[in-house]
Amino acid sequence: MKQASIKVFAPATIANLACGFDTLGLAINGPGDEIIGYLTNKPGVQIEEITGGKDLPHDPTKNTAGIAAQAFLDAHGDPSIGVSMRIHKKMPNGSGLGSSAASAVAGCLLLNELLRRPFEKRQLLPFAMQGESYASKAYHADNVAPCLLGGIQLIRDNATLDVQRIFPPRGIFMAVVYPNIKMLTSEARAILKPEITLQQHIAQSANLASLIVALHNSDFPLMRRCLVDQIIEPQRSHLIPEFSKIQAMALEQGAIGCSISGAGPSIFALCSNSLIAEEIGERMKAIYKDVKIRSTVYISPINNEGAQLL
Amino acid sequence: MKQASIKVFAPATIANLACGFDTLGLAINGPGDEIIGYLTNKPGVQIEEITGGKDLPHDPTKNTAGIAAQAFLDAHGDPSIGVSMRIHKKMPNGSGLGSSAASAVAGCLLLNELLRRPFEKRQLLPFAMQGESYASKAYHADNVAPCLLGGIQLIRDNATLDVQRIFPPRGIFMAVVYPNIKMLTSEARAILKPEITLQQHIAQSANLASLIVALHNSDFPLMRRCLVDQIIEPQRSHLIPEFSKIQAMALEQGAIGCSISGAGPSIFALCSNSLIAEEIGERMKAIYKDVKIRSTVYISPINNEGAQLL
């Protein structure tokens, strides 16, 4: 007997946010992963279909959604449960927008909803992390946590998934551009020097801590002073065409901050309202058009819900 | 004509607070610098007397209080103003409790009060910084800012004195022990390695940012997880006798965190109430008594006023 299908959605996310490498991330509206699925009598996870993504494996043991779903089933403990899923990627993968996290989150959220929520949403984090870590070769919650839980999430510790929600002022809009070039997270990680100076640490951590204060206090000028990346951006930005030009334009147009989204190549601009974000989005697209690079622009408020049943 | 004397007080401070090296500091009650002074007809700064401190120079160009007072006079601009001061140090210097910052703050605050506040309190920061930087050979506001302004202060940037006040939950008490051993801030700084790993940075900055969240939310368990120093304490703690024993005792007795105060040798324990702080203070003293080291213990809430006219 074929059970009723349900549909879940997990949003794209922007990790790092300039001064919060591996510790900060936020969710946006629009791009993300949709998974439609139903329970079956065949134990385990099956992936029927994947649309919209490039080179993503249908083998559930090699697909982040499949791995996260299997982690859920292992924890749930009933060996008779089976799930079949169709994955519709409504976002680019390899873009620095948390594509693998979105798949992983959607994969385990689907099962939680199909089974009438045996777990609280936050309890899904470790399952999603298993999927994410398979894809990104690293155990980082800075995409998974905001994707699942929404808003801005501060990751204190990945091992224990000690994650704090930060409440930003209303009205913040993101302008995000994805230039259609190939770039792998694992490569972007590999170029990072394993050491930094103590002075870099002091400056960057003071910016991160002050950003938390600025978000709490709706202090936009302070936010702008904090949204600087002295450590990662200088090492990675040369991998992204026109990065400096876009960053300069965004700040000139009034963005509060502009830096690399996750490992790139996407670039985000954090803005105090939608008009500034729209204007910056137009100009981002134009800059890439001038150099004949196809790009996609997303304009979005912060997504405060995170992944959800549609 | 001798003018009326006034008396100002600048409190001792605890910088670093485990995860906030060079960025966090708080003021306590009790120990600190008292300066009594009056305006004179002899332009410039004179130091009549210093009591309570060891080896502190009476030459105002070599004394942090004198330098800060002179910086005030230079900014104030009236070349006819003179001030005479008697400095009563009611705290040990070279203790890691911000002794030089207290002198510097008291020095310029004295003049501001004598002249009926031509500057706002916060505007005194750069004058105090000049005194402090002479003594500590570094331009850091992590003692000066909480000493002047009170509470917990987060230093985003020393060059621009971009300083944010953090509002902690009520009821926090500090137990602080100063073991009477010789240790110079400049030496304690010199042993620090100029580089750290990226992983150390990620962990420490996540702790610092999460500590801000914990303080905002009165989340004591989170505060405890954050009050860890993976970078500086392991390099410095061997300079402080019985450090590990005291830290273990304090955490065992319920301290939220325990680490080195500033560059040491003082050790602080941050506690959720005065009873725990008192108990830890007794035991700190006993541990040093066992090894024949004289020590002084201070038990204090966070000082929310900062330096003030008495």
Side-chain angles (χ1 to χ4, degrees):
Chain A
M1 182 195 71
K2 183 169 165 176
Q3 304 244 352
S5 286
I6 64 166
K7 191 197 281 187
V8 296
F9 178 77
T13 45
I14 296 170
N16 299 353
L17 293 174
C19 56
F21 180 64
D22 277 3
T23 60
L24 265 191
L26 62 76
I28 61 173
N29 286 336
D33 269 29
E34 211 174 82
I35 301 188
I36 297 166
Y38 54 92
L39 295 173
T40 69
N41 294 324
K42 189 183 164 198
V45 181
Q46 293 173 72
I47 298 173
E48 284 178 30
E49 182 187 44
I50 302 175
T51 66
K54 283 182 208 151
D55 311 321
L56 293 171
H58 283 67
D59 178 348
T61 66
K62 291 177 179 164
N63 178 294
T64 55
I67 292 165
Q70 188 60 53
F72 178 104
L73 289 178
D74 294 344
H76 185 266
D78 180 343
S80 71
I81 296 174
V83 65
S84 182
M85 52 176 75
R86 286 174 298 158
I87 301 171
H88 302 305
K89 288 208 78 72
K90 300 190 163 180
M91 65 179 295
N93 49 328
S95 59
L97 292 171
S99 166
S100 57
S103 287
V105 165
C108 55
L109 184 72
L110 175 77
L111 267 165
N112 202 44
E113 296 293 340
L114 283 168
L115 295 169
R116 309 276 173 94
R117 304 190 184 175
F119 293 104
E120 283 186 53
K121 207 178 181 193
R122 183 173 269 261
Q123 291 180 297
L124 303 178
L125 263 181
F127 312 141
M129 287 289 280
Q130 285 195 40
E132 161 76 338
S133 63
Y134 177 83
S136 72
K137 317 278 182 253
Y139 195 79
H140 294 295
D142 53 350
N143 289 110
V144 163
C147 177
L148 179 66
L149 303 168
I152 302 182
Q153 300 285 340
L154 171 66
I155 320 301
R156 196 194 67 81
D157 182 55
N158 285 295
T160 55
L161 292 173
D162 190 353
V163 171
Q164 309 302 321
R165 183 166 192 144
I166 310 297
F167 292 90
R170 279 159 178 266
I172 286 181
F173 261 75
M174 310 298 288
V176 185
V177 64
Y178 163 57
N180 200 337
I181 63 165
K182 195 140 190 108
M183 192 172 153
L184 281 176
T185 300
S186 49
E187 287 170 18
R189 288 199 88 85
I191 63 161
L192 297 179
K193 288 186 203 139
E195 298 213 320
I196 65 170
T197 68
L198 184 57
Q199 287 309 314
Q200 285 177 313
H201 161 68
I202 294 166
Q204 189 104 333
S205 65
N207 278 332
L208 177 60
S210 301
L211 178 62
I212 304 301
V213 176
L215 288 165
H216 269 278
N217 295 354
S218 299
D219 184 339
F220 288 100
L222 176 59
M223 237 178 269
R224 186 165 178 154
R225 299 196 295 279
C226 297
L227 281 170
V228 175
D229 178 3
Q230 305 188 12
I231 298 175
I232 306 300
E233 187 187 291
Q235 299 184 66
R236 274 184 180 164
S237 58
H238 67 93
L239 298 175
I240 304 171
E242 308 302 311
F243 176 81
S244 303
K245 195 168 181 182
I246 285 176
Q247 186 183 52
M249 174 278 296
L251 295 174
E252 167 84 13
Q253 292 300 315
I256 300 166
C258 176
S259 188
I260 304 167
S261 176
S266 294
I267 302 170
F268 75 90
L270 192 147
C271 307
S272 56
N273 64 57
S274 63
L275 292 175
I276 295 175
E278 296 275 1
E279 177 66 30
I280 289 172
E282 297 281 339
R283 289 171 186 250
M284 286 168 158
K285 199 150 184 67
I287 287 172
Y288 279 126
K289 198 177 171 193
D290 277 354
V291 295
K292 312 251 188 301
I293 293 175
R294 278 193 298 135
S295 70
T296 311
V297 165
Y298 307 99
I299 307 295
S300 167
I302 294 174
N303 171 336
N304 283 312
E305 309 306 320
Q308 58 185 311
L309 179 69
L310 292 186
Chain B
M1 181 194 73
K2 181 169 166 176
Q3 304 245 351
S5 286
I6 64 165
K7 191 197 282 186
V8 297
F9 178 77
T13 44
I14 296 170
N16 297 353
L17 292 175
C19 55
F21 180 64
D22 276 1
T23 61
L24 265 190
L26 62 77
I28 61 174
N29 285 337
D33 269 28
E34 210 174 83
I35 301 188
I36 298 166
Y38 55 91
L39 295 173
T40 69
N41 294 324
K42 187 182 166 198
V45 181
Q46 293 173 74
I47 298 173
E48 285 179 28
E49 181 187 46
I50 303 176
T51 64
K54 283 183 210 150
D55 311 320
L56 293 172
H58 283 66
D59 179 347
T61 66
K62 292 177 179 163
N63 177 294
T64 56
I67 293 165
Q70 189 59 53
F72 178 103
L73 289 177
D74 294 344
H76 186 265
D78 179 343
S80 72
I81 296 173
V83 65
S84 182
M85 52 176 75
R86 288 175 293 153
I87 301 171
H88 301 304
K89 289 208 77 71
K90 300 193 163 179
M91 65 179 296
N93 49 329
S95 59
L97 292 170
S99 166
S100 56
S103 286
V105 165
C108 54
L109 183 73
L110 175 77
L111 267 165
N112 203 43
E113 296 293 340
L114 282 168
L115 295 169
R116 307 279 172 95
R117 305 191 182 174
F119 294 103
E120 284 187 52
K121 206 177 182 192
R122 184 174 271 261
Q123 291 178 296
L124 304 177
L125 263 182
F127 312 140
M129 286 289 281
Q130 286 194 40
E132 161 75 339
S133 62
Y134 177 83
S136 73
K137 317 278 181 250
Y139 196 77
H140 293 294
D142 52 351
N143 289 109
V144 164
C147 177
L148 178 66
L149 304 168
I152 302 181
Q153 299 285 341
L154 170 66
I155 321 303
R156 195 194 68 79
D157 182 54
N158 285 295
T160 56
L161 292 174
D162 190 352
V163 170
Q164 308 304 320
R165 182 167 192 143
I166 309 299
F167 292 90
R170 281 160 175 264
I172 285 181
F173 261 75
M174 311 298 288
V176 185
V177 64
Y178 163 57
N180 200 337
I181 62 166
K182 194 138 191 112
M183 191 170 151
L184 280 177
T185 301
S186 49
E187 287 170 18
R189 287 199 88 86
I191 63 162
L192 297 180
K193 288 186 203 140
E195 299 213 317
I196 65 171
T197 69
L198 184 57
Q199 287 308 314
Q200 285 177 311
H201 161 68
I202 294 166
Q204 190 104 332
S205 64
N207 277 333
L208 177 60
S210 300
L211 178 63
I212 304 302
V213 175
L215 289 165
H216 269 278
N217 295 353
S218 299
D219 183 339
F220 288 99
L222 176 59
M223 236 178 270
R224 185 165 179 153
R225 298 196 295 279
C226 297
L227 281 171
V228 174
D229 178 2
Q230 305 187 11
I231 297 175
I232 307 301
E233 186 188 291
Q235 297 183 69
R236 273 184 180 164
S237 59
H238 67 93
L239 298 174
I240 304 171
E242 308 302 310
F243 176 80
S244 303
K245 194 169 180 180
I246 286 175
Q247 185 182 52
M249 175 278 294
L251 295 174
E252 166 85 10
Q253 292 298 317
I256 300 166
C258 176
S259 187
I260 304 167
S261 176
S266 294
I267 302 169
F268 75 90
L270 193 148
C271 308
S272 56
N273 64 57
S274 63
L275 293 175
I276 294 173
E278 295 276 2
E279 177 67 30
I280 289 171
E282 296 280 341
R283 288 171 187 250
M284 285 168 157
K285 199 150 183 67
I287 287 171
Y288 278 125
K289 197 175 173 195
D290 278 354
V291 293
K292 314 255 187 299
I293 293 175
R294 277 193 300 136
S295 69
T296 310
V297 166
Y298 306 100
I299 306 294
S300 168
I302 295 174
N303 172 335
N304 284 311
E305 309 306 319
Q308 58 186 312
L309 179 69
L310 291 186

